[in-house]
Amino acid sequence: MSTSTREISKDELIYVPISEDEENPKYGGLKKELLVRDLSDLEEKYVVCCSCKGVLRGTMFTEKGYKCSNCVKGDDKNTVGVEQPAIDTIEVFCPMRHKGCERKETISTIEDHLANCEFYPVACELNCEKLLLPDEVEEHVQNECENRMVGCAYCSDNLKVADMDNHLLECTEHPVMCPNDCQPNEMKRKELEQHINKECKLAVVNCVYSHSGCEVNLARNEMVEHENVYQSEHLRCLNSYIKRLESTIMRNTNGTIVMQINELESKLKGGQEVRLESEPFYVCLYKCQAIIELNDRSRKVIGVYVRVVKGEWDDELKWPFNGRFTFSMINKKKENRNKIRSVEVRGEDDKNFHKPDDDVKPGRGFTVFASHDLVRQAKFSGGDSLLLKICVEPYSTQLY
């Protein structure tokens, strides 16, 4: 058995190539040089295809001459089949003669020989597109083919050899080195994030008082000394932080705002979309904003929404946001006839209520809260104005 294998080129095959398509190669007749006798005493036009120049196979007669059936094109005229018993009896050398096969066969029997010829290449059974000699196949499939399946040395995954390098770049069990070159330095990839975030003594971390204003970043093993040396400065930062926090809470514990739309009738009749946004307001330290749209999406309806926007306390809050938005349209004459609708927000299912970034996210509410006709008929617009009360109720105010 061979200790190594090599790919056989298509030039070593028995057929003359007539197509350059590597994925779907097409072959014409047998190679002319395989003929045992030369054609000096034969009429070559009856033996050799005028297109591929190989020995005729499935002979067809066209106005251009004799062609193999595979070589006939759609524009060939007067195409008729021709019996070729005389051609089938012509002897040819095995195309693997240069590799050591001494057999001679007729054109009609050569393919039967090739099916068992020890020198004729066969395709890899794992579909790697390589052609191999029969006695090389086993070695190739077991030890060389990139399509053979192997197990990862670090996890339980089985995959192709060709895919192993990419797998090792992601394998959670693969050993990796801490980028901070700490000791011990080697661990599983799945442990690296936890190590850097919680354990690595050389990882650069923020001071525990960073939320209060301290901007120092040091290696974890240097931070203890920093905290001890700067205790009085940290206390001042913390006191200032607490005062700002108390001030914000006192200003925003209610979570309810009222928006008044004046000159309502002219806005409704205008037909153009009118969008009103409230000043941002805090609710349990979450910064929110209410939006009202008249003629929402060019329809005669009023839409109402609330969104969470980037705020001062986002780093201290628990995310995503979960809560309830309640929208009330005030009937100025009959308070018990207010129109009220609520919507529940579950941030786990809505990425728009994860921790805000610089991109303003869409809100949550009702595209159709009330029609213009309802606003007029139910006297919600008394005095040509409309009052809408929006209440935001977070389910949790837990800080990190």
Side-chain angles (χ1 to χ4, degrees):
M1 181 178 294
S2 302
T3 57
S4 63
T5 63
R6 65 178 182 81
E7 184 177 359
I8 305 297
S9 71
K10 292 183 174 66
D11 291 338
E12 297 181 61
L13 297 179
I14 188 170
Y15 299 119
V16 177
I18 60 173
S19 169
E20 300 297 327
D21 187 346
E22 294 184 0
E23 295 185 1
N24 300 288
K26 184 178 180 182
Y27 297 93
L30 294 165
K31 292 181 179 179
K32 182 172 65 174
E33 55 265 32
L34 296 179
L35 291 169
V36 172
R37 57 190 293 186
D38 83 32
L39 299 178
S40 58
D41 61 342
L42 295 173
E43 289 192 58
E44 184 169 329
K45 68 178 181 179
Y46 297 120
V47 179
V48 176
C49 174
C50 67
S51 178
C52 69
K53 307 303 180 184
V55 180
L56 286 164
R57 301 301 306 274
T59 307
M60 305 293 288
F61 179 74
T62 74
E63 65 172 4
K64 299 175 183 177
Y66 290 96
K67 289 188 176 183
C68 300
S69 57
N70 283 342
C71 297
V72 174
K73 299 180 180 179
D75 59 353
D76 284 325
K77 298 178 181 179
N78 302 322
T79 302
V80 294
V82 177
E83 293 185 5
Q84 57 175 54
I87 298 176
D88 287 344
T89 61
I90 296 176
E91 283 191 317
V92 292
F93 293 110
C94 174
M96 293 293 106
R97 186 185 186 192
H98 62 295
K99 298 297 182 184
C101 184
E102 298 296 333
R103 289 289 294 271
K104 297 178 183 179
E105 297 285 340
T106 65
I107 291 176
S108 63
T109 62
I110 187 64
E111 290 189 4
D112 292 335
H113 162 69
L114 290 175
N116 300 295
C117 178
E118 61 180 315
F119 298 97
Y120 192 69
V122 295
C124 170
E125 62 190 55
L126 299 181
N127 300 317
C128 72
E129 299 184 357
K130 288 188 177 180
L131 298 174
L132 309 157
L133 296 181
D135 65 347
E136 297 176 337
V137 172
E138 183 178 356
E139 172 71 16
H140 171 77
V141 168
Q142 291 182 359
N143 301 310
E144 298 175 4
C145 182
E146 291 195 345
N147 283 350
R148 72 187 191 277
M149 300 297 291
V150 295
C152 175
Y154 305 100
C155 70
S156 59
D157 287 357
N158 288 306
L159 57 157
K160 294 179 180 180
V161 171
D163 298 330
M164 182 60 73
D165 287 345
N166 287 336
H167 168 75
L168 292 178
L169 295 175
E170 301 176 351
C171 178
T172 58
E173 299 293 326
H174 190 280
V176 295
M177 309 292 282
C178 174
N180 298 316
D181 199 25
C182 67
Q183 297 296 330
N185 195 31
E186 187 175 284
M187 66 206 71
K188 295 178 180 179
R189 180 174 279 112
K190 66 182 181 181
E191 299 170 348
L192 181 60
E193 183 176 359
Q194 170 74 12
H195 168 76
I196 293 176
N197 292 338
K198 301 293 184 181
E199 303 165 3
C200 179
K201 295 180 180 180
L202 299 182
V204 175
V205 296
N206 296 329
C207 174
V208 294
Y209 295 95
S210 60
H211 67 285
S212 304
C214 182
E215 299 179 353
V216 172
N217 301 314
L218 294 170
R220 185 175 277 112
N221 60 1
E222 299 175 351
M223 189 56 74
V224 173
E225 181 181 358
H226 164 75
E227 293 171 3
N228 290 334
V229 171
Y230 291 92
Q231 287 184 5
S232 58
E233 287 83 354
H234 289 156
L235 184 59
R236 285 195 294 271
C237 289
L238 186 59
N239 286 334
S240 175
Y241 170 80
I242 291 174
K243 289 180 180 179
R244 289 188 291 117
L245 182 62
E246 289 175 342
S247 174
T248 302
I249 293 175
M250 290 179 64
R251 293 196 313 268
N252 300 284
T253 53
N254 192 337
T256 299
I257 65 168
V258 176
M259 296 181 67
Q260 178 168 316
I261 305 172
N262 296 318
E263 299 178 353
L264 178 65
E265 191 61 32
S266 63
K267 291 184 173 67
L268 297 182
K269 288 182 177 180
Q272 300 296 318
E273 182 175 317
V274 177
R275 181 183 178 90
L276 305 174
E277 298 180 353
S278 73
E279 289 294 325
F281 58 96
Y282 282 96
V283 181
C284 299
L285 303 184
Y286 292 101
K287 192 174 185 180
C288 303
Q289 187 176 35
I291 302 108
I292 300 174
E293 292 182 342
L294 307 180
N295 295 308
D296 185 31
R297 302 180 188 178
S298 300
R299 296 179 295 173
K300 295 182 178 182
V301 295
I302 294 177
V304 290
Y305 315 91
V306 170
R307 64 187 176 203
V308 175
V309 296
K310 193 172 182 180
E312 181 179 1
W313 308 101
D314 291 348
D315 291 340
E316 282 75 43
L317 290 168
K318 188 171 182 64
W319 298 97
F321 175 91
N322 293 299
R324 180 187 298 274
F325 302 153
T326 301
F327 304 91
S328 303
M329 190 163 62
I330 308 300
N331 188 315
K332 297 180 179 180
K333 295 186 177 181
K334 296 181 180 180
E335 186 176 346
N336 61 349
R337 299 291 299 275
N338 293 344
K339 180 177 176 59
I340 302 173
R341 294 183 70 183
S342 297
V343 62
E344 189 175 42
V345 174
R346 290 290 182 184
E348 294 85 355
D349 304 322
D350 190 341
K351 293 183 179 180
N352 292 321
F353 290 92
H354 288 199
K355 183 179 178 181
D357 52 29
D358 292 332
D359 294 331
V360 179
K361 301 296 192 299
R364 187 77 180 275
F366 299 96
T367 303
V368 180
F369 180 73
S371 68
H372 292 184
D373 289 341
L374 176 64
V375 172
R376 294 185 178 102
Q377 293 170 6
K379 307 300 182 184
F380 287 103
S381 59
D384 198 25
S385 65
L386 179 67
L387 291 178
L388 280 163
K389 182 171 70 174
I390 298 102
C391 180
V392 178
E393 303 170 90
Y395 289 153
S396 172
T397 58
Q398 179 178 350
L399 302 178
Y400 280 121

